[in-house]
Structures are given as structure tokens and as C-alpha cells.
Amino acid sequence: MSPKAQPLKLVVVSAGLGKPSSTRLLGDRLAEATRRQAADRGVEADVRVVELRDVAVDIAHNLVTGFPPPGLRAAIETVTGADALIAVTPIFTASYSGLFKSFFDVLDHTALTGKPVLIAATGGTARHSLALEHALRPMFAYLRATVVPTSVYAATDDWGAAAGAGDDLSARIARAGGELADLAAGLPRREAGGAGEGDPIDEVVPFAEQLAALRRG
């Protein structure tokens, strides 16, 4: 008898500041859509949520000292050990929040290599929806994550819109969840922090060492 496959590790990263938060609510709905559609594909998924508001002070300390406090270290391990991520941020001044960006700044630059990511955001009006394409998608492309085609933006009016009318929020959530489930279900499970390990492309020699080698030569 073959061993039972390990559940898919699905992690939601929410940068919502309020409690309750529309950003967290969107993350929860996306996670449920992904979990349900992964189950339809015969893959069980365990969902965990990292609330960045809970480690905001730790992130600031890490940026100053270079060392993550225990709470932030646990959050980083959860994210880097995920098989798939759902990253959700409120939009401020036409871009992701500073808290959201600061968290991903403290991750190792190879930690998300090849990892399936669904990007989503919340905001007051629909005019901020392009922030997903001009801010979030380029950031995760730089981190070499694999971002699903459908991004999900929820404006204030979207929460009260009737389902079934055109490209409504529920339809976008279902479509994005299906894309993430398809992508994540087809990948082997990774160990925490293992994405890109052993890949020669990721073995970057610090500039100081390169300079010292040139001087010796």
C-alpha cells in the first residue's frame, strides 16, 4: 500500500490592520475556494493564516537589527514552508501597504522561488485595482514566485454586489482559487525554506567576495 499523500500546505498572508478586516475576509474566502477546488481534484489542503498585524513590531526590529524575533521567525517558517500562498494586502496610495512589503523584504530572496502565489487586495474604490498588476505582480515576479493569472481585487462596493451579475467578486474568487488549486496540486511538497536550495543559479557570491577574488587574481 502506498503511503498517504501529505496535505497541501496552504498559507494566507494577510496585511489587514483592522479586526475584523476586509483583507482577512478576502483571504479566508480565497482559501476556502482553493481548499474546496483542491478537494475536487483529490488533494486535501490544510489552511493556515499569518496575520502581519500581529508581528508588525517584530518586522520593524528585524529591519533594524537583521534578526527576527521568535514570533516573526515562526511566521517566516510558516510562509517559506507552504506549498502555496495567498497574499492579500489593503491598497494605500495606489500600492501595497508598507507592512505587507516589509514582511516580504525580510524573507530570503530565494524563499518563494517557484512557489504558487495568488495575489489579492482590498480598497475603497475600483480605481485602485491596477495596483495588483503594477505593484504586487512585479514584486512576486522579482521573487521568482509563480503567480496565478487571475488576481482578485475587492472594493467596498464589491462586498454588497449581487452574485451572478457579470464578473462579480464570487466568480473571481472561484476562478482564482481554481487556478491556485491546479498549480499547487501538481507540485511536489517542499520542506520549509527549501525552494531553490541546491540550485546553482541561487548560489549568489557576495560582491565583497567577488571583489576580493579579483584583487587576488
Side-chain angles (χ1 to χ4, degrees):
M1 175 184 287
S2 59
K4 184 179 179 180
Q6 292 295 312
L8 185 74
K9 297 177 183 177
L10 177 61
V11 175
V12 178
V13 178
S14 170
L17 299 179
K19 204 168 186 177
S21 160
S22 61
T23 301
R24 169 65 187 272
L25 176 60
L26 180 58
D28 288 344
R29 289 186 61 180
L30 288 165
E32 176 56 23
T34 304
R35 186 202 62 76
R36 186 174 60 251
Q37 295 191 66
D40 291 343
R41 293 152 177 79
V43 178
E44 182 184 351
D46 285 341
V47 179
R48 295 190 64 182
V49 178
V50 173
E51 286 270 19
L52 297 186
R53 67 188 299 277
D54 295 337
V55 291
V57 174
D58 287 353
I59 291 172
H61 286 165
N62 193 167
L63 289 171
V64 173
T65 66
F67 298 98
L72 177 58
R73 186 181 303 114
I76 291 172
E77 289 174 354
T78 297
V79 169
T80 57
D83 294 305
L85 291 179
I86 297 171
V88 196
T89 178
I91 298 299
F92 298 136
T93 321
S95 189
Y96 37 61
S97 73
L99 177 61
F100 183 84
K101 179 62 163 58
S102 295
F103 175 74
F104 288 99
D105 280 345
V106 303
L107 296 184
D108 184 271
H109 72 284
T110 66
L112 301 186
T113 300
K115 197 181 296 294
V117 177
L118 191 168
I119 57 173
T122 58
T125 67
R127 65 179 180 168
H128 296 304
S129 61
L130 286 178
L132 283 161
E133 304 305 323
H134 73 65
L136 271 77
R137 194 175 294 275
M139 184 187 82
F140 284 103
Y142 174 80
L143 295 171
R144 291 187 288 176
T146 303
V147 184
V148 302
T150 300
S151 55
V152 179
Y153 179 83
T156 301
D157 290 344
D158 287 323
W159 297 107
D167 191 32
D168 64 277
L169 180 59
S170 296
R172 283 178 275 140
I173 288 173
R175 183 168 65 247
E179 291 171 356
L180 186 62
D182 280 340
L183 190 57
L187 294 178
R189 308 293 184 264
R190 287 185 293 272
E191 296 298 326
E197 288 182 357
D199 186 343
I201 296 176
D202 294 328
E203 295 174 2
V204 179
V205 178
F207 178 74
E209 293 183 16
Q210 296 181 47
L211 186 60
L214 287 173
R215 287 173 175 170
R216 289 196 299 269

